[in-house]
Amino acid sequence: MSRTTARTATLLAGATLLAGALAGCGGGTTATTPAAAPEGPHVAFLVPSTSLRSMAYDVPNFSVELSHRCPTCVVDVHTAEDQAEQNAQAQEAIRDGAQAVVVVALDGAQAGDLVSAANAADVPVVAYDRLVKGAAIDYYVSFDGGAVGELGGQAVLDAVGGDTAGGAIVMLQGDPADNNAGLFAAGAHSVLDGKVDIASERYVAGWSADQAAVEMRSALADLGGRRLLGVYTAYDGLAAGALQALTEAGLSGVPITGQDAETAALQRILAGTQTMTVYKDLPGQARATADLVADVLDGKTPETTGTTDNGAGSVPTVLLQPQAVGKAQVQSEVLADGYTTVDALCAGAASQTCAAAGISAGS
């Protein structure tokens, strides 16, 4: 195994699985298979090393659900820093006998070697969350990226209202290497174009909050004397970076959108410094993918919602639907789903904004 590979073996209880998967985030090997349990099919789950959601939501929920369907299945988790490393990890996993590959590609346009190795060994590949382009993948499971952008764009328009004279917005899009970033951007433009001036639009490499702050500082100069009506961002981390730059510039009360319902973003929404986030049921996505993989391992044809053209053909696809979350939906939707906890959301200084919103332990 490579230095950034962790193994999460057969897990029979959710708590054990969560501990094993999260321990694997730091690299090394974690073996949690009971000694008496025989190993069954191995599934390689490849994720970016920088993706916190992968270890918090994707891997644990995928592994728990797969263990329900296939108690002897083994999930091997590999974390990579670039696409070349991820391609090598997949090739090694296939040589070691992996019977399915689930991949969150770091660069969906550069993952062809990974897919070619899988195709040669007749191992199915599931593109998870991010589409792999120009290669013969077997399945794709994600959220409707266009709808994600539309929800964010509509939130900007709703916040701005009809008073757009003499003003413009800034758009901070995601990593240009991520196919999803383009989908989010297209969805947002379908709502915003022709309705509000866009002073500046920038793609942020690596979805980095720090880089988002840099881009936002530069974007303020592009306003050319116009007032800033709002900031569309494609991710909560970008919203945090944008807010940092606005605070430095002495600007407050500017509508800011985001995506992923991160705990820090929900705290900003309750505090009024971020307008909304696009909430995606990440545990549900992981479970749907596990069910799909279990069907494939059983020789069944999984149920899908349609197909996606990735440049190499029509890929059977499962697309899930996102939803907009503002202050009023934090408790009724996000907390109600168990996506985060009241204790996590209302820790420290956030306890006051939680109390003001009527959110408390046991609520």
Side-chain angles (χ1 to χ4, degrees), residues 189-215:
H189 277 287
S190 73
V191 173
L192 294 169
D193 288 355
K195 297 178 182 176
V196 63
D197 287 341
I198 300 170
S200 184
E201 179 176 19
R202 295 158 181 266
Y203 281 76
V204 182
W207 299 92
S208 164
D210 290 342
Q211 187 60 35
V214 172
E215 298 293 349

Side-chain angles (χ1 to χ4, degrees), residues 224-304:
R226 290 172 290 179
R227 60 193 177 97
L228 179 61
L229 300 174
V231 181
Y232 166 90
T233 84
Y235 164 54
D236 289 333
L238 306 186
L243 180 61
Q244 176 186 336
L246 293 178
T247 302
E248 293 169 354
L251 297 172
S252 62
V254 178
I256 304 175
T257 71
Q259 177 191 177
D260 272 359
E262 292 184 344
T263 298
L266 297 175
Q267 292 170 339
R268 291 193 295 271
I269 289 170
L270 293 178
T273 56
Q274 182 171 325
T275 307
M276 60 82 72
T277 186
V278 178
Y279 170 51
K280 301 184 295 188
D281 181 7
L282 302 184
Q285 179 186 12
R287 291 190 293 267
T289 306
D291 286 336
L292 183 150
V293 169
D295 283 343
V296 171
L297 293 175
D298 284 344
K300 301 174 182 177
T301 301
E303 292 187 8
T304 55

